[in-house]
Amino acid sequence: MARSALDESSESGAFVRTASTFRNLITRDPNSPFPAESGRYHLYISYACPWASRCLAYLKIKGLDKAISFTSVKPKWERTKDTDEHMGWVFPTSDTEEPGAGSDPLNGAKSIRELYELASTDYSGKYTVPVLWDKKLKTIVNNESSEIIRMFNTEFNDIAENPSLDLYPPHLQALINEINDWIYNGINNGVYKCGFAKQQEPYDEAVKSLYESLNKCEEILSKQRFLCGNTLTEVDIRLFVTLIRFDEVYVVHFKCNKKLLREYLNLFDYTKDIFQVPGISSTVNMEHIKKHYYGSHPSINPYGIIPQGPDIDFSAPHDRERFST
């Protein structure tokens, strides 16, 4: 039986995310199995999913729109097959059914699950986004967002419109890796550990770790514009996709309500700062985000009621320019 993130919990009731399974790499080497070529690859995403959204953010800010096409699924999980009860990402039947979502232009698939089954007949894991698809070999190249963004950062520079932007520069890589580690555990995955906990103790532990990590970010950002200094890097994009969803979803749906993002002077303005980077705002579809979380987890929100607020204006002015760039 196919699983979803809702099924990933330990005996103690803690949420434990399983690793991605398709881990091939696209490189600039023309002789590699997956060479960087314009028009060869397609990115399947959900605007609702933070892991997929960071890949789309890279596609936009690196200027890869013309080289790599993309399609978004519908935000709310639906039945992926008539033969079982699995709920997951599905495509609309037409490009007008769900604004922002599109039908599969390559394989005519009805769900992300079908893409996994096309790529591997004996696949038994989760059917997640993002999916980086090879049109030529008709298979999944990679479904691990942390690897996809690294590929987008460097391997397509010969065809990217913004090749000089390096979000993983050599002199900062050790620091980026260190910060990624505690932000992933405490914040990116931390909100899920809060929301998907099935016992009080793992929830309490996750909330403690979440707010310790947010407070650490707030302290760093009181002294510099971004997490690694005054230059935007990979860690900022990875943190942003969680922060942009925080007050709108995680505070209510995942019970992360000890302190709102808007109550953090630096983190809130930092989120607005990144949102206003050219290309980033187009990757944020708050309607899809709210429809997904509030509508796809019946064990958390059985009636699927979507809260009306808070409707935050992330395009409002911020004070992050006070730090030199």
Side-chain angles (χ1 to χ4, degrees), residues 26-32 34-36 151 154-158:
I26 297 170
T27 74
R28 281 176 284 187
D29 180 359
N31 298 314
S32 75
F34 299 99
M151 289 185 258
T154 57
E155 301 308 306
F156 290 87
N157 276 345
D158 290 342

Side-chain angles (χ1 to χ4, degrees), residues 5-284:
L6 286 169
D7 304 311
E8 298 180 291
S9 63
S10 67
E11 291 182 3
S12 69
F15 172 67
V16 182
R17 188 181 297 276
T18 53
S20 302
T21 49
F22 290 88
R23 308 296 284 270
N24 298 300
L25 299 178
I26 297 170
T27 74
R28 281 176 284 187
D29 180 359
N31 298 314
S32 75
F34 299 99
E37 298 173 0
S38 182
R40 176 165 173 169
Y41 303 100
H42 189 83
L43 183 68
Y44 291 99
I45 62 120
S46 165
Y47 283 108
C49 171
W51 319 103
S53 292
R54 65 192 191 183
C55 297
L56 184 59
Y58 265 70
L59 188 148
K60 294 291 185 179
I61 62 178
K62 285 291 295 185
L64 290 169
D65 305 61
K66 296 173 183 175
I68 301 169
S69 51
F70 79 93
T71 302
S72 174
V73 293
K74 293 168 68 174
K76 187 177 176 180
W77 284 349
E78 297 179 17
R79 287 272 296 276
T80 57
K81 268 190 176 180
D82 294 333
T83 53
D84 61 43
E85 299 300 314
H86 177 257
M87 303 289 284
W89 303 112
V90 300
F91 296 97
T93 54
S94 73
D95 291 341
T96 57
E97 180 187 339
E98 179 83 48
S103 54
D104 177 18
L106 303 179
N107 305 289
K110 295 179 181 179
S111 68
I112 291 292
R113 178 180 183 173
E114 284 189 30
L115 298 178
Y116 279 82
E117 292 173 345
L118 282 171
S120 175
T121 54
D122 59 353
Y123 183 75
S124 61
K126 294 186 301 175
Y127 307 111
T128 58
V129 287
V131 167
L132 186 56
W133 183 267
D134 184 342
K135 300 177 190 177
K136 184 176 180 180
L137 298 181
K138 297 184 178 179
T139 192
I140 296 173
V141 180
N142 198 296
N143 69 335
E144 171 50 56
S145 63
S146 65
E147 294 176 353
I148 294 172
I149 62 176
R150 295 268 174 98
M151 289 185 258
F152 286 0
N153 185 55
T154 57
E155 301 308 306
F156 290 87
N157 276 345
D158 290 342
I159 50 180
E161 293 179 358
N162 195 8
S164 62
L165 176 65
D166 186 359
L167 296 164
Y168 191 60
H171 69 287
L172 291 175
Q173 287 179 4
L175 179 60
I176 288 171
N177 292 341
E178 176 194 337
I179 296 176
N180 275 343
D181 187 55
W182 59 262
I183 283 183
Y184 170 79
N185 287 305
I187 302 176
N188 298 140
N189 199 44
V191 293
Y192 285 88
K193 288 190 283 187
C194 295
F196 289 162
K198 294 180 179 179
Q199 298 287 341
Q200 188 68 42
E201 186 175 345
Y203 164 76
D204 291 341
E205 291 173 358
V207 168
K208 181 176 182 290
S209 177
L210 169 65
Y211 282 95
E212 285 175 350
S213 300
L214 287 172
N215 291 338
K216 187 173 181 179
C217 290
E218 178 72 2
E219 173 65 19
I220 294 170
L221 295 170
S222 70
K223 301 169 184 174
Q224 56 197 42
R225 188 166 183 174
F226 301 108
L227 286 171
C228 288
N230 290 323
T231 303
L232 184 76
T233 67
E234 175 183 294
V235 290
D236 301 301
I237 302 298
R238 288 173 54 132
L239 177 58
F240 168 79
V241 295
T242 300
L243 296 182
I244 200 76
R245 291 161 172 75
F246 200 83
D247 285 8
E248 296 277 3
V249 172
Y250 301 144
V251 167
V252 177
H253 192 61
F254 282 173
K255 306 176 185 70
C256 303
N257 64 343
K258 282 190 71 176
K259 189 173 181 179
L260 305 178
L261 174 66
R262 287 165 289 167
E263 295 175 307
Y264 285 97
L265 178 65
N266 296 294
L267 269 171
F268 184 38
D269 272 1
Y270 163 85
T271 306
K272 290 187 283 186
D273 190 10
I274 298 174
F275 180 83
Q276 293 169 33
V277 170
I280 293 293
S281 64
S282 69
T283 72
V284 179

